[in-house]
Amino acid sequence: MATREGPVEADAMRRAIALAARALGSTSPNPVVGCVVLDAAGRTAGEGRHRRAGGPHAEIDALRAAADAGHDVRGGTAVVTLEPCNHTGRTGPCAQALIDAGIARVVYAVADPNPTATGGAATLAAAGVDVEGGLLAAEAAAGNAAWLTSVLRRRPFVLWKYAATLDGRSAAADGTSRWISSAESRADVHRLRAEADAVVVGSGTLRSDDPHLAVRGPVLQRGDVTQPLRVVVDTHATVTPGARVLDAAAPTLIVVGEDADTRHLPGADIARLPADKPGGGNGGKALLAELHGRGVRSVLLEGGAALAGSFVAAGAVDRVVAYLAPALLGAGPSALGDSGIGTIARALRLDVTDVARLGPDLRITATPLASASTAPEEN
């Protein structure tokens, strides 16, 4: 759809995208959405975001903020990161709410691909509202990649995070790995956890590191952080009742094989899956299908190398965040295990989208070039 938005609306959309990002990890299975309502003179009258599933959508939140501040929005513009919904679920249709508020123009970034909610733009246009889409669409889609992936590919979005030395080692030859990365990098990992619905590790990581996997540190000062589901892929149920991941800090799911004995884990949330032979263990598509069915829309894959390899082999890594420490080991396990890539011609090539310095480390963010995470899968 062609656009004719001016700088005021573009600035409002950037603000709406920033508002949406504040709710990452808290809205599943719904998208993150931000909205800025401008009055008839183009001044900001209200801002809002969708905070939690079942709560007010971003448009309603922004309209309420405008009303609470005493601003008149009749004849104004709603700038929203996602096409206003057109259906009644746990909340009413946002398209109709904007019409009832007297909004004269709606500018949205991304069309809603959800068949149960799409059509808001047509409803608005039929009511005489001026509607345009596509403003800063790429930026808004990137911020909503988890939800778009879940709708279009019918599985959670997967971000693989790892820490390694410059020569690609995730631990020393004797198995020690604390700490390869800096305190600044480790703090940033808690931000990634706070933005994810689930954090996944394998049984090897569980045995070697006894990770906690819950969000800790300064990121909790935000006050609205939802702890992610901690997921341990443990085919033979080797986890012990005293493992840190089983404490009450966050919910935990233990994924085991169909015949695993779990009598030593009374009360634990257990999922039984068949072995995913192409990827090894319980990694890959079967695990993602199980998590998707539980409302998980974004996964932070934290380790280890074998599990990461199985996800790469399954074509289920949508973004990579690498924390590279300025150190050399020369021996020890690599960050990525067997992923079924046997020749350079089949290497998974990545597009580097961001490079940042965190203390002494480099944080590199990249996405696979071979496929777009928001492209629908073939049946």
Side-chain angles (χ1 to χ4, degrees), residues 43-227:
R43 298 168 299 204
T44 298
E47 298 181 343
R49 69 183 188 273
H50 182 44
R51 301 167 191 268
R52 296 186 184 278
H57 288 189
E59 298 92 326
I60 308 303
D61 197 34
L63 289 172
R64 288 178 181 174
D68 290 345
H71 295 307
D72 184 2
V73 300
R74 288 173 298 179
T77 298
V79 179
V80 61
T81 57
L82 185 68
E83 177 186 3
C85 69
N86 197 45
H87 79 298
T88 299
R90 283 184 281 184
T91 61
C94 292
Q96 189 60 50
L98 293 170
I99 294 168
D100 294 343
I103 292 294
R105 176 169 164 80
V106 172
V107 178
Y108 65 87
V110 178
D112 193 334
N114 187 347
T116 64
T118 192
T123 295
L124 289 162
V129 178
D130 181 22
V131 182
E132 296 201 26
L135 177 61
L136 300 182
E139 292 91 331
N144 224 355
W147 181 78
L148 289 169
T149 297
S150 74
V151 172
L152 296 172
R153 296 180 69 87
R154 299 173 296 280
R155 65 160 175 81
F157 178 91
V158 177
L159 187 158
W160 173 41
K161 156 265 165 185
Y162 72 91
T165 59
L166 286 184
D167 56 340
R169 304 296 177 176
S170 61
D174 64 357
T176 56
S177 61
R178 294 184 178 180
W179 295 103
I180 283 179
S181 60
S182 65
E184 292 87 348
S185 292
R186 298 195 298 275
D188 194 58
V189 170
H190 286 279
R191 174 187 62 84
L192 294 182
R193 289 180 181 175
E195 294 178 353
D197 295 337
V199 179
V200 179
V201 299
S203 57
T205 298
L206 190 73
R207 289 190 297 270
S208 63
D209 296 342
D210 190 22
H212 190 236
L213 301 182
V215 179
R216 302 187 305 276
V219 70
L220 290 175
Q221 295 175 4
R222 279 176 25 191
D224 58 351
V225 172
T226 299
Q227 289 287 356

Side-chain angles (χ1 to χ4, degrees), residues 278-302:
N282 281 318
K285 294 182 178 180
L287 173 60
L288 291 178
E290 172 71 23
L291 295 177
H292 191 263
R294 291 170 174 259
V296 170
R297 299 296 179 258
S298 59
V299 165
L300 175 61
L301 182 62
E302 288 210 21

Side-chain angles (χ1 to χ4, degrees), residues 300-312:
L300 175 61
L301 182 62
E302 288 210 21
L307 189 63
S310 74
F311 271 73
V312 171

Side-chain angles (χ1 to χ4, degrees), residues 246 252 254 262-270:
L246 293 177
T252 301
I254 309 298
T262 58
R263 287 175 294 179
H264 63 295
L265 298 171
D269 190 3
I270 303 290

